[in-house]
């Protein structure tokens, strides 16, 4: 197997891992049923949503472990945590082997399951960095976009399974959450090795093809989410099409080989002269997984790992830039994730189906992360300098407006706002990976980025707890038990979230002012 083929198999394996790793993102789809089955209050339910994010408080553990253990072992540890966390909950709900489970035990199991994402994510990011040195930012944006699609993938699979295996929705979600990450991890182990790709091998043609395929996948996901309101395709057909889209990246190298064979045939049919020489060179380069590189790309290769500094956690937490970045993320991507965590109850209070809203947010979140890849792909090759904090600001402004749009009681505004928040959350989350690399270097990236995303459980607890308090207050005023219906349930919450998002936008501009010299120097070299 050539190194180019092995490199591409690595990428496909990472895409599959990201596609099933976002197990915590489907919680809103079954949270209302979970609440009824376990007789939970809204506060208890919000604490469970927080527990899933609380696993990120221990994200430093995989960041530390990856320095001493092989990637495949770190990956299997993450998959095992998901198997245990969700698997025991599934056995409890179905009554197989686990007869009793206290709320505290349920909380701890959810924390364990939530922590599994950190292990798998760390492996994916590091494997991407090692295998795609000169195209790291593009590869990260493409692969992480599939993680947001997890909720859509799990939802269509559940819809298809329910047709043939009638069961409680919560049980099926928990079963899939427990076994799918382990199955895909075992499939990825043979190709996920400490393999460092040669810098000279360009993947531009394959990446262009993957861009097209990824866009098609996202368009289908959005279309199926919107059509779910009016019926749409059969759940089984929908699930098969999604799975085919995930398998399709394997075909890209084969298509490249076919093109190379066609070019070789043209050469053998008598093409001569300069044009023939160029064709021969093209065939040979395509067969070896190479693309002609210009001097500009050579310079990018030399400078791709340039950063302000290469420092560790102890140093970054003493810096003002870190705390500006921390709160920008807290009032941006984390706030969006908290909204998505509460989507089940928000949909219920507005009389909508949580699954359709979750699929919509997942699909648009997919495009949000893909947009960040396009920004990296095109702006990084332009002659103009650009600041990543400004790019983040550009997504935080519409997110703040979307929270205020939720104050309108119509379903149209609810779906529009959810789509906007999904796009912006996905884009900011993806951009943050590259921003961490640029600000603090790559040598200790695992620990540094996991320190940044530690704000997710903090925000999940604080913002989620406040949302639950306002929900409970309005529930009490309606003299209802267990449910709050109407616009007032989350009205105050949306106003607060929108205001905090505006504050985060302001902080991102301050971060831009403090880093603009670095970005002008970085991109002024080209």
């Amino acid at each position: 197997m050539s190194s180019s083929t092995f490199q591409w198999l690595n990428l496909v394996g990472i895409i599959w891992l990201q596609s099933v790793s976002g197990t915590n993102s489907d919680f809103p789809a079954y949270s209302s049923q979970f609440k009824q089955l376990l007789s939970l209050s809204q506060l208890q339910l919000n604490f469970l949503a927080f527990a899933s994010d609380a696993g990120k408080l221990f994200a430093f553990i995989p960041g530390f472990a990856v320095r001493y253990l092989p990637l495949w072992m770190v990956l299997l540890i993450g998959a095992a945590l998901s198997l245990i966390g969700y698997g025991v909950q599934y056995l409890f709900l179905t009554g197989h082997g686990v007869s009793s489970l206290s709320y505290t035990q349920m909380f701890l199991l959810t924390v364990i399951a939530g922590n599994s994402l950190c292990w798998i994510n760390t492996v994916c990011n590091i494997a991407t960095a090692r295998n795609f040195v000169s195209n790291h930012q593009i590869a990260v944006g493409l692969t992480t976009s599939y993680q947001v699609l997890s909720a859509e993938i799990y939802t269509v699979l559940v819809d298809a399974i329910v047709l043939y295996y009638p069961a409680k929705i919560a049980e099926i979600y928990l079963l899939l959450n427990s076994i799918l990450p382990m199955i895909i991890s075992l499939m990825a182990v043979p190709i996920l090795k400490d393999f460092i790709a040669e810098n000279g091998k360009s993947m531009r043609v394959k990446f262009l093809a993957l861009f097209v395929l990824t866009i098609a996948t996202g368009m289908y996901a959005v279309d199926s989410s919107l059509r779910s309101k009016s019926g749409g395709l059969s759940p089984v057909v929908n699930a098969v099409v999604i799975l085919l889209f995930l398998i399709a990246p394997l075909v890209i190298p084969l298509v490249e080989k076919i093109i190379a064979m066609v070019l070789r045939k043209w050469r053998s049919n008598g093409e001569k002269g300069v044009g023939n020489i160029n064709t021969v060179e093209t065939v040979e380069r395509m067969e070896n997984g190479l693309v002609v590189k210009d001097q500009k790309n050579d310079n990018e290769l030399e400078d791709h790992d340039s950063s302000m500094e290469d420092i560790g956690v102890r140093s970054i937490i003493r810096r003002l830039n870190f705390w500006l970045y921390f709160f920008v993320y807290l009032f941006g991507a984390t706030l969006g994730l908290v909204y998505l965590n509460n989507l089940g109850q928000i949909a219920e209070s507005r009389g909508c189906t949580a699954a359709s809203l979750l699929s919509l947010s997942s699909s648009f979140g997919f495009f949000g992360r893909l947009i960040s890849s396009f920004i990296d792909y095109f702006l990084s090759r332009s002659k103009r300098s650009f600041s990543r904090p400004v790019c983040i600001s550009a997504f935080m402004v519409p997110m703040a407006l979307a929270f205020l749009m939720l104050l309108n009681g119509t379903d149209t505004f609810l779906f529009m706002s959810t789509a906007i928040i999904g796009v912006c959350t996905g884009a900011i989350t993806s951009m943050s990976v590259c921003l961490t690399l640029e600000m603090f270097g790559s040598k200790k990236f695992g620990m540094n980025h996991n320190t940044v995303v530690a704000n997710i459980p903090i925000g999940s607890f604080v913002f989620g707890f406040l949302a639950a308090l306002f929900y409970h207050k309005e529930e009490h005023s309606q003299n209802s038990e267990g449910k709050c219906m109407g616009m007032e349930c989350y009205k105050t919450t949306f106003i607060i979230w929108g205001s905090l998002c505006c504050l985060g936008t302001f902080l991102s501009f301050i971060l831009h002012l403090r880093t603009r010299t670095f970005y002008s120097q970085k991109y002024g070299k080209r």
Side-chain angles (χ1 to χ4, degrees):
M1 183 184 296
S2 68
S3 60
S4 176
T5 303
F6 185 87
Q7 191 179 12
W8 190 256
L9 285 176
N10 251 264
L11 182 67
V12 175
I14 292 169
I15 286 174
W16 290 353
L17 286 171
Q18 294 282 26
S19 298
V20 298
S21 65
T23 49
N24 59 341
S25 62
D26 59 34
F27 180 73
Y30 64 89
S31 60
S32 295
Q33 190 179 91
F34 215 56
K35 181 180 178 181
Q36 296 174 358
L37 291 173
L38 301 178
S39 301
L40 302 176
S41 67
Q42 184 61 34
L43 282 174
Q44 288 176 314
L45 187 68
N46 274 80
F47 277 128
L48 279 184
F50 157 70
S52 183
D53 292 328
K56 295 180 177 66
L57 286 173
F58 307 99
F60 67 91
I61 299 177
F64 181 78
V66 79
R67 297 169 62 182
Y68 301 98
L69 300 175
L71 287 182
W72 65 266
M73 186 176 294
V74 177
L75 176 62
L76 290 182
I77 291 173
L81 291 175
S82 184
L83 182 65
I84 294 170
Y86 290 115
V88 175
Q89 293 183 54
Y90 167 77
L91 294 175
F92 169 65
L93 282 187
T94 57
H96 296 127
V98 182
S99 57
S100 63
L101 204 61
S102 67
Y103 179 78
T104 302
Q105 292 171 326
M106 185 75 73
F107 183 91
L108 293 176
L109 287 169
T110 307
V111 171
I112 292 172
N115 184 243
S116 68
L117 172 62
C118 302
W119 292 77
I120 298 175
N121 237 357
T122 299
V123 170
C124 290
N125 286 334
I126 291 178
T128 303
R130 289 178 178 176
N131 286 287
F132 300 94
V133 179
S134 57
N135 296 289
H136 173 251
Q137 294 176 343
I138 301 168
V140 167
L142 280 168
T143 55
T144 57
S145 64
Y146 281 87
Q147 186 187 106
V148 188
L149 204 61
S150 290
E152 170 74 3
I153 292 170
Y154 280 103
T155 298
V156 298
L157 289 177
V158 168
D159 289 342
I161 292 172
V162 166
L163 293 178
Y164 300 97
Y165 179 68
K168 296 181 176 66
I169 297 296
E171 295 176 359
I172 301 176
Y173 271 106
L174 289 173
L175 177 62
L176 292 178
N177 286 351
S178 63
I179 63 173
L180 275 186
M182 178 57 77
I183 293 173
I184 301 300
S185 295
L186 290 173
M187 293 172 60
V189 163
I191 59 173
L192 198 65
K193 300 179 181 179
D194 295 334
F195 171 78
I196 301 178
E198 299 168 6
N199 291 341
K201 298 213 170 179
S202 172
M203 304 289 286
R204 187 178 299 176
V205 173
K206 292 178 182 176
F207 271 123
L208 183 60
L210 185 58
F211 262 127
V212 174
L213 179 60
T214 304
I215 291 171
T217 304
M219 290 177 64
Y220 178 80
V222 171
D223 180 62
S224 63
S225 299
L226 294 176
R227 283 191 297 169
S228 65
K229 289 184 65 180
S230 57
L233 293 175
S234 162
V236 176
V237 174
N238 200 17
V240 170
V241 173
I242 286 289
L243 292 177
L244 288 176
F245 271 117
L246 293 176
I247 296 172
L250 285 174
V251 183
I252 291 177
L254 178 61
V255 174
E256 186 187 38
K257 291 292 183 183
I258 292 174
I259 295 174
M261 290 173 62
V262 172
L263 291 175
R264 190 188 302 114
K265 185 176 181 180
W266 286 352
R267 179 190 63 181
S268 64
N269 286 338
E271 286 189 335
K272 298 180 179 180
V274 177
N276 186 45
I277 295 174
N278 291 337
T279 302
V280 172
E281 290 179 351
T282 302
V283 172
E284 290 175 348
R285 288 178 177 274
M286 291 189 72
E287 288 176 341
N288 293 321
L290 299 174
V291 176
V292 178
K293 298 195 307 166
D294 55 19
Q295 185 63 38
K296 179 179 174 181
N297 288 334
D298 289 332
N299 293 336
E300 285 176 7
L301 184 58
E302 294 173 0
D303 297 333
H304 85 280
D305 198 31
S306 62
S307 59
M308 293 180 183
E309 294 180 80
D310 234 324
I311 54 180
V313 174
R314 291 184 179 179
S315 297
I316 67 174
I317 61 175
R318 299 172 185 171
R319 314 257 170 142
L320 178 58
N321 281 357
F322 167 77
W323 291 107
L324 284 171
Y325 178 26
F326 186 90
F327 283 104
V328 167
Y329 198 107
L330 180 67
F331 297 146
T334 296
L335 206 55
L337 291 173
V338 174
Y339 170 78
L340 299 179
N341 283 344
N342 285 269
L343 205 53
Q345 308 313 118
I346 293 171
E348 184 182 67
S349 68
R350 303 280 283 263
C352 296
T353 304
S356 60
L357 273 179
L358 182 64
S359 295
L360 186 71
S361 65
S362 174
S363 303
F364 276 91
F366 176 84
F367 267 114
R369 297 207 180 193
L370 193 58
I371 287 172
S372 70
S373 285
F374 276 111
I375 292 174
D376 282 325
Y377 186 80
F378 291 107
L379 292 186
S380 64
R381 285 163 172 75
S382 69
K383 294 183 179 180
R384 297 182 179 180
S385 64
F386 78 100
S387 169
R388 208 171 297 278
V390 167
C391 293
I392 291 176
S393 300
F395 285 98
M396 292 187 69
V397 172
M399 183 187 287
L401 294 175
F403 281 124
L404 299 179
M405 286 168 57
L406 286 166
L407 299 177
N408 185 294
T410 63
D411 287 351
T412 301
F413 276 85
L414 174 62
F415 276 80
M416 285 177 56
S417 298
T418 300
I420 292 171
I421 293 172
V423 168
C424 296
T425 301
I428 296 171
T429 302
S430 183
M431 287 181 180
S432 69
V433 176
C434 296
L435 183 56
T436 301
L437 278 168
E438 291 169 348
M439 290 182 66
F440 309 124
S442 61
K443 290 183 179 178
K444 299 180 180 178
F445 167 76
M447 292 287 289
N448 290 342
H449 193 62
N450 285 335
T451 301
V452 173
V453 299
N455 71 75
I456 294 177
I458 296 172
S460 180
F461 174 76
V462 176
F463 303 144
F465 181 72
L466 288 175
L469 285 179
F470 289 123
Y471 181 97
H472 182 71
K473 179 181 177 181
E474 187 60 30
E475 176 186 88
H476 182 71
S477 67
Q478 293 181 5
N479 295 320
S480 61
E481 294 183 2
K483 284 188 180 181
C484 175
M485 301 300 294
M487 278 292 301
E488 297 298 322
C489 300
Y490 285 94
K491 180 179 179 180
T492 306
T493 298
F494 293 148
I495 293 174
I496 294 174
W497 288 356
S499 301
L500 289 174
C501 199
C502 290
L503 175 60
T505 306
F506 175 71
L507 293 178
S508 65
F509 276 111
I510 296 177
L511 183 61
H512 159 67
L513 294 176
R514 291 181 57 84
T515 58
R516 61 181 175 178
T517 301
F518 161 72
Y519 280 104
S520 63
Q521 292 176 349
K522 176 181 175 67
Y523 296 102
K525 293 179 181 179
R526 293 176 305 197

